[in-house]
Amino acid sequence: MEKKPIILVTSEQDYGAAMMRFAPYYNINKPYTHSITAVGGIPISPLATCMDDQYCDMADGLLLTGGKYDNHPGRYNTPLFR
């Protein structure tokens, strides 16, 4: 059986009023994950930044989705240009 590629998908963090504690939650646009699955991949959203190296080691690709907030270039060892 052929190994399916693992694709990391960025997500947006937002806050919800779960039990009025405004707990953080993560959003991923379903069409992104459905598209990856449709072509035989496995979408994974890395949520624990303390495991960045482990996620990168296991991933075959990265999908930067964009959204309300930009991903800070420093997370990807890229300088911030203005």
Side-chain angles (χ1 to χ4, degrees), residues 54-73:
Q54 290 89 343
Y55 282 121
C56 290
D57 288 344
M58 73 179 201
D60 298 300
L62 171 65
L63 174 60
L64 300 173
T65 61
K68 286 193 292 187
Y69 307 104
D70 290 333
N71 291 305
H72 192 280

Side-chain angles (χ1 to χ4, degrees), residues 12-74:
E12 292 183 68
Q13 183 178 0
D14 212 339
Y15 292 88
M19 299 179 65
M20 300 307 289
R21 294 184 187 178
F22 295 97
Y25 66 91
Y26 296 89
N27 290 322
I28 300 174
N29 195 330
K30 280 185 180 181
Y32 290 125
T33 58
H34 286 242
S35 297
I36 292 168
T37 304
V39 296
I42 300 172
I44 294 179
S45 182
L47 302 178
T49 57
C50 63
M51 295 177 56
D52 285 346
D53 290 339
Q54 290 89 343
Y55 282 121
C56 290
D57 288 344
M58 73 179 201
D60 298 300
L62 171 65
L63 174 60
L64 300 173
T65 61
K68 286 193 292 187
Y69 307 104
D70 290 333
N71 291 305
H72 192 280

